[in-house]
Amino acid sequence: MQVFKFGGASVKNAEGVKNLARVLQQVGYENTLVVVSAMGKMTNAMELVIKNYFDNKSELQSSIQEVKTYHNEILVDLFESTQHPVFKKVSSIFQDLDSFLSRNKSPDYNFVYDQVIGFGELTSTTIISGYLNEIGLKNNWLDVREFIKTDDYYRRSNVDWEQTQNNIKTNFDTTVLNITQGFLGSDANNFTTTLGREGSDYTAAIFAYCLNAESVTIWKDVPGVLNADPRYFENAQLLNNISYREAIELAFYGASVIHPKTLQPLQQKEIPLFVKSFLNPKDAGTRVGKGIGIEPNVPCFIVKKNQVLISLSSLDFSYIVEENISEIFKLLHLYKMKVDVIQNSAISFSVCFENTYDNLDRLLQHLKAKFKVTINKNVSLYTVRHYNEQAIASVEKDKELLLKQLTHETIQIVTQ
């Protein structure tokens, strides 16, 4: 088995879908599972639908219509007749969306998010599966929610590995081309769950692990894993080889090419991961696997925007000790803050984190009862692996430094 993952940028329009087919024809698609994300910026569009559902009902139908129109234009470009069965299948998917939004009674944003957001993946895979069948690439369309089972930690669910492995072992046909959705799973009550933003890579890794796949390939609009995001850094270089350990380090610090959870199941079974360009599928790209740390050995730059930095000190100037730190982390966990940097001294403790679940005000209310709190919002966190003086200088240039922390291989800098 080989597992391919195509992201939204690769299938943002009809030409992208046709190119996906060409990639399969060029590199081979026997015994292959294709995992596909929502098309283009449809995840963002679905998030707007969810926002309007809660906050702006007057705009809800227009935001849903934009999603429908976008997909319908792709369908019209791909299929000669609007009588093709795929049109009815896509229409049925949107009927399910309308039905959920009209009958839902839950006020839980995270639950509603997971029930709605996945319609992007369900639609994209339905269109792609229909097109591939139309041009002779026969395939099975699979509902990933019947395979990947999770808990009900909505928006960042944890995989039930035992049940997931059993589902895949029992119900997955490895002899054919299969098409399924990334990012999604389902809980014990069969409600849709999601694996975290960019979770489609993780979906590919879950299937690869359970299928003992030969390899996983992530197809992107870049030639492979770069040492920096070219949107924020100049002169980004292609990394030819990365070890699992180095890739996990980069993912942990926020490198956007590989999802943080993706690498662990692959490492356990030593399944290599390739990151390649869907525009040049024959190019080598980047190989992530066992062996060499990083080649070429150059500084790797990562930036995370819109972070929150808080600094805490005790109200009576006593030491910040284990008991205080334990309490702080319990609160960070309670309010679902993803911690990226910590730094402490005798009487202060600083932490930089993501406010993904918009619980900052409630967290601060708790902390201010026991600590003096200084807060900086909308800060940027820069991480440089394998840094040198030139790399540090390039990050610090023309910025206000709020926090700086060095280890042997990594420097992290928080700037305003």
Side-chain angles (χ1 to χ4, degrees), residues 190-251:
N190 291 322
F191 288 117
T192 304
T193 57
T194 60
L195 305 175
R197 197 71 191 267
E198 308 299 333
S200 294
D201 294 359
Y202 188 34
T203 303
I206 293 167
F207 273 99
Y209 178 92
C210 295
L211 293 166
N212 294 310
E214 183 178 291
S215 64
V216 173
T217 303
I218 298 173
W219 297 96
K220 299 185 73 70
D221 56 357
V222 291
V225 178
L226 305 177
N227 75 321
D229 187 331
R231 292 175 299 176
Y232 304 114
F233 301 94
E234 296 179 353
N235 304 316
Q237 293 180 248
L238 176 66
L239 303 175
N240 302 317
N241 291 286
I242 313 174
S243 68
Y244 291 118
R245 178 172 180 176
E246 181 62 34
I248 287 170
E249 291 278 2
L250 291 171

Side-chain angles (χ1 to χ4, degrees), residues 308-348:
V308 178
L309 176 67
I310 60 173
S311 297
L312 310 173
S313 57
S314 54
L315 295 173
D316 60 359
F317 292 98
S318 59
Y319 291 140
I320 299 286
V321 292
E322 291 83 353
E323 182 182 350
N324 306 117
I325 294 172
S326 174
E327 183 175 2
I328 293 165
F329 269 96
K330 282 180 182 177
L331 290 172
L332 290 166
H333 175 71
L334 175 65
Y335 292 111
K336 302 181 180 179
M337 301 298 181
K338 184 183 180 301
V339 174
D340 290 311
V341 183
I342 60 172
Q343 189 176 85
N344 68 291
S345 66
I347 59 172
S348 69

Side-chain angles (χ1 to χ4, degrees), residues 99-358:
S99 175
F100 171 79
L101 292 174
S102 64
R103 62 181 164 76
N104 172 63
K105 298 293 189 293
S106 174
D108 183 347
Y109 179 90
N110 297 320
F111 170 77
V112 172
Y113 182 99
D114 275 12
Q115 305 322 299
V116 172
I117 201 74
F119 282 98
E121 280 76 13
L122 294 169
T123 308
S124 69
T125 52
T126 298
I127 293 171
I128 290 164
S129 175
Y131 177 74
L132 294 178
N133 278 322
E134 180 74 3
I135 64 169
L137 301 186
K138 300 304 178 185
N139 67 88
N140 285 341
W141 181 92
L142 304 176
D143 188 334
V144 73
R145 297 170 296 182
E146 296 176 4
F147 294 88
I148 296 180
K149 303 300 289 188
T150 72
D151 62 11
D152 59 0
Y153 195 113
Y154 296 113
R155 295 182 69 192
R156 201 167 68 206
S157 296
N158 301 293
V159 175
D160 181 333
W161 282 95
E162 183 176 351
Q163 191 174 356
T164 297
Q165 287 184 81
N166 184 62
N167 290 346
I168 292 174
K169 182 179 180 181
T170 305
N171 302 311
F172 191 95
D173 184 354
T174 61
T175 65
V176 298
L177 173 63
N178 291 286
I179 311 293
T180 198
Q181 308 78 38
F183 185 47
L184 308 179
S186 66
D187 64 16
N189 294 313
N190 291 322
F191 288 117
T192 304
T193 57
T194 60
L195 305 175
R197 197 71 191 267
E198 308 299 333
S200 294
D201 294 359
Y202 188 34
T203 303
I206 293 167
F207 273 99
Y209 178 92
C210 295
L211 293 166
N212 294 310
E214 183 178 291
S215 64
V216 173
T217 303
I218 298 173
W219 297 96
K220 299 185 73 70
D221 56 357
V222 291
V225 178
L226 305 177
N227 75 321
D229 187 331
R231 292 175 299 176
Y232 304 114
F233 301 94
E234 296 179 353
N235 304 316
Q237 293 180 248
L238 176 66
L239 303 175
N240 302 317
N241 291 286
I242 313 174
S243 68
Y244 291 118
R245 178 172 180 176
E246 181 62 34
I248 287 170
E249 291 278 2
L250 291 171
F252 173 79
Y253 289 116
S256 60
V257 177
I258 304 171
H259 188 275
K261 292 182 181 177
T262 299
L263 297 156
Q264 289 148 346
L266 300 181
Q267 183 183 29
Q268 287 182 45
K269 292 193 174 180
E270 297 186 3
I271 299 169
L273 169 70
F274 296 92
V275 181
K276 295 188 177 185
S277 166
F278 59 73
L279 301 174
N280 300 290
K282 291 291 189 178
D283 289 356
T286 301
R287 183 186 189 276
V288 181
K290 190 177 180 181
I292 189 166
I294 185 169
E295 189 273 311
N297 189 2
V298 294
C300 295
F301 299 83
I302 301 157
V303 61
K304 299 178 83 170
K305 304 281 189 178
N306 301 315
Q307 303 282 293
V308 178
L309 176 67
I310 60 173
S311 297
L312 310 173
S313 57
S314 54
L315 295 173
D316 60 359
F317 292 98
S318 59
Y319 291 140
I320 299 286
V321 292
E322 291 83 353
E323 182 182 350
N324 306 117
I325 294 172
S326 174
E327 183 175 2
I328 293 165
F329 269 96
K330 282 180 182 177
L331 290 172
L332 290 166
H333 175 71
L334 175 65
Y335 292 111
K336 302 181 180 179
M337 301 298 181
K338 184 183 180 301
V339 174
D340 290 311
V341 183
I342 60 172
Q343 189 176 85
N344 68 291
S345 66
I347 59 172
S348 69
F349 183 89
S350 297
V351 57
C352 186
F353 55 82
E354 298 175 24
N355 182 27
T356 306
Y357 290 84
D358 199 24

